[in-house]
């Protein structure tokens, strides 16, 4: 079993969340939903723990508002994985992304945006804006509402009740829920 490092970074102004997962023994890490304006802070955090960033995982993005975001995130030196294939390649449902002795699995979960991904790791699903109905400022304007409903009811709600669901936004500091909630 790997020695793990798990950290949540929360922007109190916007409610946006970034997650850092790391195999501390192998010194390899993954960032989920990092913000391009935080590249310097994220670089320092990785350096402080002597971690090599293997993957940048984006559950969704609004790059039409900030078109250089993916390019700026690449400054962190890792492959960017996002649903529109602009990362290293198209990502298939169930694809495995290894880091150290750990693995994150890609899930295609469209709805909030047409190319949304979720990422499964151990007993956790990082689903970005898919479930943050009251906290995600763009959720009332889902690109594909029918697909969002199917992603939630046909995929997430079929998981065991104790599965941890991590959102991409939190204004009331509730970053995690379970399927049962």
């Amino acid at each position: 079993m790997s020695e793990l490092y798990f950290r949540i970074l929360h922007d109190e102004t916007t409610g946006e969340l970034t997650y850092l997962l790391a195999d501390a023994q192998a010194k390899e890490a993954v960032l989920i939903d990092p913000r391009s304006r935080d590249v310097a802070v994220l670089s320092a955090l990785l350096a402080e723990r002597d971690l090599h960033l293997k993957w940048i995982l984006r559950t969704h993005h609004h790059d039409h508002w900030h078109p250089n975001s993916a390019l700026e995130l690449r400054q962190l030196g890792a492959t960017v994985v996002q649903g529109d294939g602009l990362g290293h390649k198209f990502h298939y449902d169930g694809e495995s992304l290894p880091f150290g002795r750990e693995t994150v699995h890609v899930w295609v979960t469209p709805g909030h945006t047409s190319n949304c991904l979720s990422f499964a790791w151990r007993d956790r699903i990082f689903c970005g804006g898919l479930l943050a109905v009251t906290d995600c400022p763009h959720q009332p304007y889902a690109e594909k509402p029918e697909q969002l409903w199917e992603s939630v009811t046909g995929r997430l709600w079929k998981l065991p009740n104790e599965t941890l669901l991590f959102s991409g936004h939190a204004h009331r500091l509730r970053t995690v829920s379970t399927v049962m909630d």
Side-chain angles (χ1 to χ4, degrees), residues 81-92:
V81 175
Q82 57 190 43
D84 58 11
L86 296 176
H88 80 288
K89 65 180 180 130
F90 182 78
H91 298 280
Y92 295 96

PDB file of all heavy atoms in Angstrom, residues 81-92:
ATOM      1  N   VAL A  81      -5.029  16.416 -19.055  1.00  0.00           N
ATOM      2  CA  VAL A  81      -6.090  15.506 -19.487  1.00  0.00           C
ATOM      3  C   VAL A  81      -7.410  16.246 -19.342  1.00  0.00           C
ATOM      4  O   VAL A  81      -7.772  16.676 -18.249  1.00  0.00           O
ATOM      5  CB  VAL A  81      -6.105  14.222 -18.624  1.00  0.00           C
ATOM      6  CG1 VAL A  81      -7.289  13.338 -18.999  1.00  0.00           C
ATOM      7  CG2 VAL A  81      -4.788  13.474 -18.749  1.00  0.00           C
ATOM      8  N   GLN A  82      -8.111  16.413 -20.468  1.00  0.00           N
ATOM      9  CA  GLN A  82      -9.427  17.042 -20.449  1.00  0.00           C
ATOM     10  C   GLN A  82     -10.276  16.404 -21.528  1.00  0.00           C
ATOM     11  O   GLN A  82      -9.749  15.815 -22.469  1.00  0.00           O
ATOM     12  CB  GLN A  82      -9.335  18.553 -20.595  1.00  0.00           C
ATOM     13  CG  GLN A  82      -8.623  19.036 -21.837  1.00  0.00           C
ATOM     14  CD  GLN A  82      -8.343  20.532 -21.805  1.00  0.00           C
ATOM     15  OE1 GLN A  82      -7.936  21.071 -20.788  1.00  0.00           O
ATOM     16  NE2 GLN A  82      -8.566  21.185 -22.919  1.00  0.00           N
ATOM     17  N   GLY A  83     -11.573  16.521 -21.389  1.00  0.00           N
ATOM     18  CA  GLY A  83     -12.508  15.787 -22.221  1.00  0.00           C
ATOM     19  C   GLY A  83     -12.568  16.131 -23.680  1.00  0.00           C
ATOM     20  O   GLY A  83     -13.083  15.358 -24.463  1.00  0.00           O
ATOM     21  N   ASP A  84     -12.040  17.255 -24.091  1.00  0.00           N
ATOM     22  CA  ASP A  84     -12.150  17.618 -25.497  1.00  0.00           C
ATOM     23  C   ASP A  84     -10.984  17.110 -26.332  1.00  0.00           C
ATOM     24  O   ASP A  84     -10.864  17.435 -27.491  1.00  0.00           O
ATOM     25  CB  ASP A  84     -12.290  19.128 -25.661  1.00  0.00           C
ATOM     26  CG  ASP A  84     -11.136  19.894 -25.056  1.00  0.00           C
ATOM     27  OD1 ASP A  84     -10.124  19.284 -24.679  1.00  0.00           O
ATOM     28  OD2 ASP A  84     -11.252  21.119 -24.955  1.00  0.00           O
ATOM     29  N   GLY A  85     -10.120  16.307 -25.738  1.00  0.00           N
ATOM     30  CA  GLY A  85      -9.012  15.741 -26.482  1.00  0.00           C
ATOM     31  C   GLY A  85      -7.856  16.691 -26.698  1.00  0.00           C
ATOM     32  O   GLY A  85      -6.904  16.352 -27.390  1.00  0.00           O
ATOM     33  N   LEU A  86      -7.908  17.880 -26.106  1.00  0.00           N
ATOM     34  CA  LEU A  86      -6.814  18.830 -26.278  1.00  0.00           C
ATOM     35  C   LEU A  86      -5.648  18.540 -25.339  1.00  0.00           C
ATOM     36  O   LEU A  86      -4.649  19.210 -25.380  1.00  0.00           O
ATOM     37  CB  LEU A  86      -7.313  20.264 -26.079  1.00  0.00           C
ATOM     38  CG  LEU A  86      -8.336  20.740 -27.094  1.00  0.00           C
ATOM     39  CD1 LEU A  86      -8.833  22.135 -26.751  1.00  0.00           C
ATOM     40  CD2 LEU A  86      -7.767  20.710 -28.506  1.00  0.00           C
ATOM     41  N   GLY A  87      -5.806  17.530 -24.504  1.00  0.00           N
ATOM     42  CA  GLY A  87      -4.703  17.087 -23.656  1.00  0.00           C
ATOM     43  C   GLY A  87      -3.752  16.255 -24.500  1.00  0.00           C
ATOM     44  O   GLY A  87      -3.512  16.562 -25.655  1.00  0.00           O
ATOM     45  N   HIS A  88      -3.243  15.147 -23.978  1.00  0.00           N
ATOM     46  CA  HIS A  88      -2.284  14.361 -24.743  1.00  0.00           C
ATOM     47  C   HIS A  88      -2.931  13.461 -25.781  1.00  0.00           C
ATOM     48  O   HIS A  88      -2.305  13.088 -26.748  1.00  0.00           O
ATOM     49  CB  HIS A  88      -1.347  13.585 -23.807  1.00  0.00           C
ATOM     50  CG  HIS A  88      -1.901  12.326 -23.245  1.00  0.00           C
ATOM     51  ND1 HIS A  88      -2.876  12.302 -22.282  1.00  0.00           N
ATOM     52  CD2 HIS A  88      -1.615  11.038 -23.518  1.00  0.00           C
ATOM     53  CE1 HIS A  88      -3.157  11.049 -21.981  1.00  0.00           C
ATOM     54  NE2 HIS A  88      -2.413  10.271 -22.707  1.00  0.00           N
ATOM     55  N   LYS A  89      -4.190  13.095 -25.614  1.00  0.00           N
ATOM     56  CA  LYS A  89      -4.927  12.291 -26.573  1.00  0.00           C
ATOM     57  C   LYS A  89      -6.374  12.209 -26.112  1.00  0.00           C
ATOM     58  O   LYS A  89      -6.711  12.674 -25.037  1.00  0.00           O
ATOM     59  CB  LYS A  89      -4.334  10.894 -26.713  1.00  0.00           C
ATOM     60  CG  LYS A  89      -4.431  10.058 -25.448  1.00  0.00           C
ATOM     61  CD  LYS A  89      -3.827   8.679 -25.664  1.00  0.00           C
ATOM     62  CE  LYS A  89      -3.953   7.896 -24.385  1.00  0.00           C
ATOM     63  NZ  LYS A  89      -4.513   6.610 -24.546  1.00  0.00           N
ATOM     64  N   PHE A  90      -7.221  11.598 -26.921  1.00  0.00           N
ATOM     65  CA  PHE A  90      -8.599  11.391 -26.504  1.00  0.00           C
ATOM     66  C   PHE A  90      -8.614  10.385 -25.365  1.00  0.00           C
ATOM     67  O   PHE A  90      -7.875   9.400 -25.380  1.00  0.00           O
ATOM     68  CB  PHE A  90      -9.450  10.878 -27.671  1.00  0.00           C
ATOM     69  CG  PHE A  90     -10.885  10.697 -27.300  1.00  0.00           C
ATOM     70  CD1 PHE A  90     -11.726  11.790 -27.211  1.00  0.00           C
ATOM     71  CD2 PHE A  90     -11.382   9.450 -26.992  1.00  0.00           C
ATOM     72  CE1 PHE A  90     -13.051  11.631 -26.840  1.00  0.00           C
ATOM     73  CE2 PHE A  90     -12.698   9.276 -26.624  1.00  0.00           C
ATOM     74  CZ  PHE A  90     -13.531  10.377 -26.558  1.00  0.00           C
ATOM     75  N   HIS A  91      -9.442  10.598 -24.380  1.00  0.00           N
ATOM     76  CA  HIS A  91      -9.490   9.720 -23.226  1.00  0.00           C
ATOM     77  C   HIS A  91     -10.775   8.910 -23.232  1.00  0.00           C
ATOM     78  O   HIS A  91     -11.859   9.452 -23.382  1.00  0.00           O
ATOM     79  CB  HIS A  91      -9.335  10.528 -21.931  1.00  0.00           C
ATOM     80  CG  HIS A  91      -8.009  11.190 -21.913  1.00  0.00           C
ATOM     81  ND1 HIS A  91      -6.865  10.530 -21.580  1.00  0.00           N
ATOM     82  CD2 HIS A  91      -7.637  12.426 -22.282  1.00  0.00           C
ATOM     83  CE1 HIS A  91      -5.844  11.340 -21.721  1.00  0.00           C
ATOM     84  NE2 HIS A  91      -6.289  12.491 -22.152  1.00  0.00           N
ATOM     85  N   TYR A  92     -10.611   7.615 -23.057  1.00  0.00           N
ATOM     86  CA  TYR A  92     -11.718   6.690 -23.106  1.00  0.00           C
ATOM     87  C   TYR A  92     -12.250   6.410 -21.712  1.00  0.00           C
ATOM     88  O   TYR A  92     -11.507   6.405 -20.737  1.00  0.00           O
ATOM     89  CB  TYR A  92     -11.282   5.380 -23.769  1.00  0.00           C
ATOM     90  CG  TYR A  92     -10.905   5.577 -25.208  1.00  0.00           C
ATOM     91  CD1 TYR A  92      -9.576   5.767 -25.577  1.00  0.00           C
ATOM     92  CD2 TYR A  92     -11.889   5.614 -26.196  1.00  0.00           C
ATOM     93  CE1 TYR A  92      -9.240   5.963 -26.898  1.00  0.00           C
ATOM     94  CE2 TYR A  92     -11.548   5.824 -27.528  1.00  0.00           C
ATOM     95  CZ  TYR A  92     -10.223   5.999 -27.872  1.00  0.00           C
ATOM     96  OH  TYR A  92      -9.889   6.214 -29.177  1.00  0.00           O
TER      97      TYR A  92
END
